[in-house]
Amino acid sequence: MSRRQIIVIAVVLLAACALPFVVSNYRTFQFTLALVYAIALLGLNMLTGYNGQISLGHGAFYAIGAYTTAILMDQYGVPYWATIPVAAAVCLVAGFLFGLPALRLEGLYLALATFALAVSLPALLKYHHLEHWTGGVQGIVILKPDPPFDLPINADQWLYFFTLAVTLLMFVLAWNILRGRMGRAMVAIRDQHVAAEAMGVHTAMVKSMTFGVSAMYTGVAGALGAIAIQFVAPDSFNIFVSIVFLVGIVIGGIASISGAIYGALFIQFVPNIADAISKAAPWAIFGIFLLGFVYLSPMGVAGAVRMAVVRLTRKAQNQAAKP
Amino acid sequence: MKLKYASIAALLAAALASPTALAQKTIKIGNINPYSGPASAYGSIGKSISAYWKMVNDQGGVNGRKVELISYDDGYSPPKTVEMARRLVEQDQVLLVFQSLGTPPNSAIHKYMNAKKVPQLFVATGATKWNDPKHFPWTMGWQPNYQTEGRIYAEHILKNNPKAKIGILYQNDDYGKDYLKGFRDGLGAKASSMIVKEVSYEVTDPTVDSQMVQLQASGADTFFNITTPKFAAQAIRKAYDSGWKPTHYLNNVSVSIASVLKPAGLEKSIGLISTAYLKDPNDPQWKNDPAVKEWQAFVDKYLPGANLPPAFTSYGMAVSQTLHQVLKQCGNDLSRANVMKQAANLKNFRPELLLPGIRINTSGGDFAPIESEQLARFDGEKWERFGPIIGK
Amino acid sequence: MDEFLRQVLAGLATGGIYASLALALVMIYQATHLVNFAQGELAMFATYFAWSLIDAGVPYWPAFLLTVAFAFVLGVLIERVIIRPVENAPVLAVVVVFIALLVILNSVAGWIYSYTIKTFPSPFPEEPIFGKYITSHEGGAIGVTMVVLLLLYLFFRFTPLGLAMRAAAQNPDSARLVGIRVGWMLALGWGLAAAVGGVAGMMVAPIVFLDPNMMGGVLLYAFAAALVGGIDNPAGAVFGGFLVGVLENLLGAFVIGNELKLAVALVLIIGVLVVKPSGFFGKVLVTRV
């Protein structure tokens, strides 16, 4: 990583840490949700952006993570921080198990399979034989965690820092994975499936593992989201969640880690802006925003940022090279 | 220079000196409604309420104060409802949240509103849990709750047709299940023997034809129809077209002539039994009723050309009139505690769109404003009420 | 036995709905190799246009034809104005454009026409011809879908324009070399698909009532139907639609109950796709390395 990149990351981190003390509790809550979406989008991006497996169903893993946390906290009294690794493990396995039979499906067919998963999950959550665990249509209410060790901050701020810490951990982990052998294998499979196989990449294993890891990320996001909202219900996790995630990674930037952050900010804040512009047809405004972003930068915000940086550096180099 | 500073200082002093006076010039009310998403049909209620408070302001406000209604869209998604509630309470600093819609959305903010001690008044759902002043002293419902209505139908069946074979169609969510519970509770021990078929549907299903076929095939001669308007119309029409003529009980949610019975076919709706607590503005028996005329004038002036369902605009008007009464009773003490106190202090109040004989009563232990309804039968033209007013 | 037959017939009726939208999806796919998620909303929007005409007093069949024309023009316009700018963008970006189109159409329809359900007239007689189990309209709608299917088949197989469109979709570069205006072929494909969608909407609305969310639930079924029948085969799509309709009804009534019937139906369909990846009637694609 270049020195400039390290400086940028340090500045962003510093700003992120200062945020809860500068803005209201409500805004801190919104940014906590944005961080949650960033983790979810990073997961989806790993699968769809880096590995080329399209998923219209990541809302399902988000729901599984959320319900894992809710059930553990509500029925078994597990402390909130302990539910996160459990949610991660459950979704890792679930994603892997889904990825295995999905190996035979490509493109549209995989899209349908994931679509089916997302549509079926709320039905499963409402299923009356499982009501005892899932709370059925009424959902489950959970309590907001208090700051530990009597720290002089309030619950919202504590939750923000907790989420921020998890986000950092997940991002560093992702950066490592994508930089290493696994990451190169993922991209190779995306770009030249047959050639990758011919070169000795164990495509079946890599693809299934990617599914698992991607699901794990989204599951962790779901768990954190459940803790922030303090409520889970089957109708919170409809197909629209999956579609919004897909929109998020495209707007943020496919195959880009920073894209997850841009995308998360977009899906958290732009609907509110659209709502403010028009009460009558808010989603029409949102759709227009989508079109605008895609037209201006088909490679997403991350792509636009990258191009801007390149152009600026080139200008600086040209200036320096002038006699 | 000095004059400029002096004048600024004077203005600041004036502003700071009377914070209460300035702050209480406008009453801020919050509202959360699904203007988008699967329940966007109910956005009409939000629009009706906004129009009503505009009318109130045009007529001078409440006790001389203007009312500002801030309404946000939550798309019927509980996480969004939480966000909007926090925005209303923490950022917009509203006095109360009024008519937030839907059981999951309201469940999501239930604890928060009570922890923050902000009134969650007259929520737009018939779930039973909003009447719990002991544990949730800041939350209050408004319409007759679903379980009570289900019980009314059950009791009617037990009285008039104790050997009935009952088939039930219900929407697979909190609203449908709440009705189902009340109905089953009303049948008591005979529930399992009398109910021969119980089928559900999802809001995303295109039609309920398959479910209707299942019900007809079960041999049921009595049908409890727990559906929202679109599916109610489908079910009524399908039953008629298939030649199935059960004793047909329709839930109050789909009782509107304009939105349900007309699309289904008025002749196909003859014999339907439901309950009512509001006057249906399209019902010819209320053609010359002063309350309905007032409603028509309100719609003509403040919602021109909007073509909103009359069921929603009349509901919106009646519930807003109730809040209007609460605010009037508050007088000059516009604290949240007093709002709640006055909401729990409605005595025999009647928004005139309520059916004759039904009145609103609340107290410290009774957070259910409307608890009575009346059975009615559709005769092809209007809902003919029969029997006594059931409930308090 | 009686209920079984009735469920099958009801399944064929709803299957007809899925089939008609699946046909539009396949049309778009054949022309552009993309699945248009906004197809349902386009159909709904066209149906509202028809409703406005009929509400203003235009008789049914003229309104029908005008709507088909309107839908065609709308489809062409959308391709030229909205899809053309992202022609060379990554596939996912195009998918997001479709999603944007979906929410815009849905939101605008709700704004203009409100969310109350509206009745839509049927050109078929009121009295059931096929007995009490299936209304004349449902039977008629299936008939219309078959006629549209036949017309499309004839168009693509036996007309020069149809041939040009197929060429443009399969191999745009070679098509350009022989002088085919590929851009306009794409636009034409969109127009045709939108027109087929409009017909679908007008057939569906009398059954389910017209409201902005009318096609929302149908889209998933149509998508599954199109894939299981073979995404590049219009007849397969229609077959798929009927299959999905009947399967879902039978599962719901006799096997798993209504709560999980959709999930199980989808699992079965995906099972079929795992075994036969091109669907029942699709062409097996062999990639040369």
Side-chain angles (χ1 to χ4, degrees), chain A residues 156-174:
Chain A
D156 283 312
Q157 291 165 331
W158 164 247
L159 198 58
Y160 172 84
F161 283 117
F162 179 75
T163 310
L164 184 63
V166 176
T167 309
L168 267 165
L169 179 66
M170 301 303 277
F171 267 71
V172 168
L173 186 65

Side-chain angles (χ1 to χ4, degrees), chain A residues 26 272, chain B residues 72 83-93:
Chain A
Y26 166 67
N272 292 348
Chain B
Y72 290 137
E83 194 187 327
M84 293 304 127
R86 294 198 62 163
R87 187 168 167 190
L88 286 169
V89 170
E90 295 171 38
Q91 196 164 300
D92 298 316
Q93 313 244 329

Side-chain angles (χ1 to χ4, degrees), chain B residues 127-158:
Chain B
T128 322
K129 61 165 127 171
W130 314 122
N131 179 11
D132 189 1
K134 200 156 74 144
H135 299 114
F136 295 101
W138 295 89
T139 309
M140 188 185 291
W142 185 76
Q143 61 207 71
N145 70 55
Y146 300 142
Q147 285 189 25
T148 306
E149 192 184 329
R151 261 194 291 269
I152 292 178
Y153 299 132
E155 274 149 24
H156 190 256
I157 295 176
L158 283 176

Side-chain angles (χ1 to χ4, degrees), chain B residues 89-386:
Chain B
V89 170
E90 295 171 38
Q91 196 164 300
D92 298 316
Q93 313 244 329
V94 294
L95 176 61
L96 61 113
V97 171
F98 169 60
Q99 263 274 300
S100 34
L101 194 141
T103 306
N106 276 300
S107 301
I109 60 174
H110 203 187
K111 271 217 179 101
Y112 170 78
M113 296 296 283
N114 280 274
K116 284 279 192 193
K117 301 204 175 39
V118 179
Q120 188 188 3
L121 273 193
F122 307 143
V123 295
T125 122
T128 322
K129 61 165 127 171
W130 314 122
N131 179 11
D132 189 1
K134 200 156 74 144
H135 299 114
F136 295 101
W138 295 89
T139 309
M140 188 185 291
W142 185 76
Q143 61 207 71
N145 70 55
Y146 300 142
Q147 285 189 25
T148 306
E149 192 184 329
R151 261 194 291 269
I152 292 178
Y153 299 132
E155 274 149 24
H156 190 256
I157 295 176
L158 283 176
K159 196 153 64 147
N160 293 294
N161 191 3
K163 287 202 176 30
K165 289 200 283 227
I166 308 174
I168 308 179
L169 175 65
Y170 67 99
Q171 187 162 298
N172 190 16
D173 64 4
D174 53 85
Y175 132 81
K177 294 217 158 148
D178 220 10
Y179 265 114
L180 193 60
K181 178 165 193 303
F183 187 71
R184 288 182 143 259
D185 287 348
L187 290 177
K190 300 188 75 185
S192 30
S193 56
M194 288 180 86
I195 300 178
V196 296
K197 195 87 178 165
E198 224 175 69
V199 291
S200 70
Y201 71 94
E202 307 289 329
V203 188
T204 46
D205 286 348
T207 79
V208 287
D209 281 2
S210 173
Q211 286 88 341
M212 292 302 287
V213 170
Q214 290 173 39
L215 285 168
Q216 191 176 0
S218 71
D221 58 24
T222 308
F223 175 36
F224 183 22
N225 187 355
I226 312 173
T227 51
T228 43
K230 178 166 115 160
F231 300 102
Q234 287 180 5
I236 296 170
R237 190 182 55 180
K238 181 76 179 176
Y240 184 90
D241 287 345
S242 318
W244 186 36
K245 293 191 198 325
T247 315
H248 190 151
Y249 292 87
L250 179 66
N251 68 158
N252 174 267
V253 167
S254 295
V255 84
S256 158
I257 297 178
S259 308
V260 177
L261 302 187
K262 220 138 153 256
L266 291 175
E267 350 69 69
K268 304 186 181 179
S269 312
I270 297 178
L272 282 170
I273 301 175
S274 185
T275 58
Y277 62 97
L278 283 172
K279 298 173 184 160
D280 184 332
N282 288 99
D283 196 320
Q285 71 184 297
W286 304 120
K287 206 158 48 140
N288 294 313
D289 181 86
V292 173
K293 286 209 170 129
E294 194 192 344
W295 165 85
Q296 188 66 60
F298 158 64
V299 168
D300 289 339
K301 183 149 182 236
Y302 289 93
L303 291 166
N307 245 327
L308 302 179
F312 289 155
T313 46
S314 52
Y315 172 90
M317 188 174 189
V319 69
S320 300
Q321 283 171 337
T322 314
L323 180 63
H324 196 164
Q325 175 67 21
V326 170
L327 291 175
K328 274 203 276 216
Q329 278 178 212
C330 283
N332 281 319
D333 179 1
L334 284 169
S335 65
R336 289 172 174 158
N338 194 28
V339 166
M340 218 51 222
K341 183 151 164 253
Q342 297 308 324
N345 191 21
L346 292 166
K347 301 293 174 220
N348 287 328
F349 170 64
R350 260 190 65 83
E352 284 301 323
L353 280 169
L354 285 178
L355 287 176
I358 298 181
R359 44 198 92 253
I360 293 181
N361 273 299
T362 54
S363 72
D366 171 19
F367 271 27
I370 305 178
E371 289 175 279
S372 26
E373 355 187 29
Q374 199 174 10
L375 283 166
R377 191 177 275 112
F378 190 69
D379 65 4
E381 208 190 48
K382 60 185 185 304
W383 283 103
E384 189 77 53
R385 290 163 292 136
F386 64 92

Side-chain angles (χ1 to χ4, degrees), chain A residues 24-27 29-30 33 37 123 126-128 131 136-138 141-144 156 228-231 233 235-236 238 267-269 271-272 275-276 279-280 282-283, chain B residues 35-38 47 70-73 75-80 82-84 86-88 90-91 103-105 107-108 111-112 116 129 170 172-175 177-178 202:
Chain A
S24 67
N25 277 344
Y26 166 67
R27 289 268 179 242
F29 168 74
Q30 284 189 309
L33 285 181
Y37 294 142
K126 288 197 274 191
Y127 191 47
H128 61 268
E131 241 171 23
V137 295
Q138 296 285 348
V141 179
I142 47 187
L143 296 166
K144 198 193 253 175
D156 283 312
I229 307 278
Q230 303 168 260
F231 181 71
D235 293 309
S236 307
N238 56 32
I267 64 181
Q268 170 57 35
F269 290 107
N272 292 348
D275 194 40
K279 191 65 33 82
W283 282 95
Chain B
Y35 292 104
S36 65
K47 295 190 192 138
I70 305 175
S71 180
Y72 290 137
D73 173 31
Y76 208 74
S77 168
K80 212 66 184 163
V82 172
E83 194 187 327
M84 293 304 127
R86 294 198 62 163
R87 187 168 167 190
L88 286 169
E90 295 171 38
Q91 196 164 300
T103 306
S107 301
K111 271 217 179 101
Y112 170 78
K116 284 279 192 193
K129 61 165 127 171
Y170 67 99
N172 190 16
D173 64 4
D174 53 85
Y175 132 81
K177 294 217 158 148
D178 220 10
E202 307 289 329

